[in-house]
Amino acid sequence: QVQLVESGGGLVQAGGSLRLSCAASGHTVSSNVMGWFRQAPGKEREFVSLISWSSSTTYYAESVKGRFTISRDNAKNSVYLQMNSLKPEDTGVYYCAAMLAGWGIEAGDYDYWGQGTQVTVSS
């Protein structure tokens, strides 16, 4: 069983930056694909970014490409999401997720989820 805990959310003005962290426990996630998703009020959870176990491959949603950067530190069993040039439409609850095997950008592809951290971007 893997427990994921996100942190780093908050309130920021448009154009600002935040860095989200996801700490895993209960099992090492160093060999797992890790992803970030977000969910705005009244909307479905959407893919934001993923990273392979070796960090050699990253993938981003078009809406965040060039502004967000995903990274991981397997020694710390952690994944990060650096968010720059934030926009009001980036507002939502951000979730960290771990995949046991495979590769995908659908929420159903992931096996473990954190409780989420709120990000609010004011205009």
Side-chain angles (χ1 to χ4, degrees):
Q1 191 76 7
V2 176
Q3 291 82 44
L4 303 172
V5 178
E6 303 94 336
S7 61
L11 173 64
V12 63
Q13 288 189 333
S17 298
L18 283 174
R19 186 183 190 231
L20 304 184
S21 299
C22 172
S25 62
H27 192 278
T28 179
V29 293
S30 60
S31 60
N32 299 93
V33 169
M34 300 293 294
W36 285 96
F37 287 74
R38 67 187 181 188
Q39 187 166 18
K43 295 188 177 182
E44 293 187 354
R45 192 170 299 190
E46 66 172 358
F47 169 79
V48 174
S49 182
L50 65 78
I51 187 168
S52 64
W53 70 271
S54 65
S55 302
S56 62
T57 302
T58 58
Y59 189 73
Y60 298 91
E62 285 297 322
S63 59
V64 306
K65 197 174 293 184
R67 300 187 297 121
F68 291 11
T69 303
I70 191 171
S71 61
R72 67 190 299 165
D73 185 337
N74 287 338
K76 295 183 177 179
N77 227 21
S78 295
V79 180
Y80 310 96
L81 187 68
Q82 178 66 44
M83 306 186 296
N84 298 329
S85 302
L86 282 161
K87 304 175 181 180
E89 50 264 43
D90 294 319
T91 294
V93 178
Y94 281 69
Y95 297 91
C96 173
M99 187 184 301
L100 286 176
W103 180 271
I105 63 171
E106 300 295 331
D109 295 326
Y110 291 78
D111 302 283
Y112 298 103
W113 293 84
Q115 82 292 346
T117 185
Q118 177 70 45
V119 171
T120 303
V121 184
S122 64
S123 56

